């Protein structure tokens, strides 16, 4: 049965068998996969592998790792220019940490 390997993979990443079965049978997930498939086709995907980087570059088919790395580096460099690091002026006051300690 094809479902069993998927259940085993799901367990390896921390899902329960029930969660995997739900993902495989719930129509909500089927709709999301169908939506993703339509979007991929709109972006030009005709097979796998197909990667879209920053919604600007597409890598289709098996490529050399160096070519993929160059595309990722180029995209990241452009992203950094478009999203400069913001330095915030912080006014410090009383606060609580995530473990509940307050000062």
């Amino acid at each position: 049965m094809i479902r069993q390997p998927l259940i085993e993979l799901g367990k390896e990443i921390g899902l329960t068998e029930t969660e995997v079965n739900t993902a495989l049978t719930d129509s909500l997930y089927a709709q999301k996969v169908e939506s993703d498939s339509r979007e991929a086709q709109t972006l030009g995907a005709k097979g796998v592998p197909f990667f879209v980087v920053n919604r600007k570059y597409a890598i289709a088919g098996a490529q050399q790792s160096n070519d993929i790395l160059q595309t990722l580096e180029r995209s990241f460099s452009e992203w950094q220019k478009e999203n400069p690091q913001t330095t915030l002026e912080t006014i410090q006051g009383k606060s609580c940490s995530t473990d509940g300690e307050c000062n």
Side-chain angles (χ1 to χ4, degrees):
M1 177 178 200
I2 195 162
R3 187 173 292 199
Q4 195 57 40
L6 297 174
I7 291 170
E8 295 306 317
L9 287 170
K11 287 179 178 179
E12 286 182 27
I13 64 167
L15 299 173
T16 67
E17 186 168 340
T18 301
E19 289 170 325
V20 175
N21 278 318
T22 298
L24 294 172
T25 59
D26 190 305
S27 65
L28 172 65
Y29 294 105
Q31 291 170 6
K32 289 182 181 219
V33 169
E34 187 60 39
S35 174
D36 285 350
S37 179
R38 281 192 304 275
E39 181 180 12
Q41 289 175 357
T42 299
L43 293 171
K46 293 178 177 43
V48 292
F50 187 84
F51 303 96
V52 175
V53 182
N54 202 20
R55 298 194 65 79
K56 188 172 183 179
Y57 299 101
I59 302 169
Q63 301 292 326
Q64 296 294 318
S65 59
N66 193 49
D67 294 334
I68 295 171
L69 179 60
Q70 286 177 354
T71 301
L72 292 172
E73 287 173 339
R74 180 178 180 188
S75 177
F76 182 61
S77 176
E78 291 172 2
W79 180 87
Q80 282 181 309
K81 288 177 186 172
E82 295 167 3
N83 298 279
Q85 216 172 10
T86 303
T87 304
L88 300 175
E89 179 182 334
T90 304
I91 301 170
Q92 198 66 30
K94 291 184 179 184
S95 62
C96 297
S97 67
T98 56
D99 62 2
E101 286 191 35
C102 298
N103 56 25

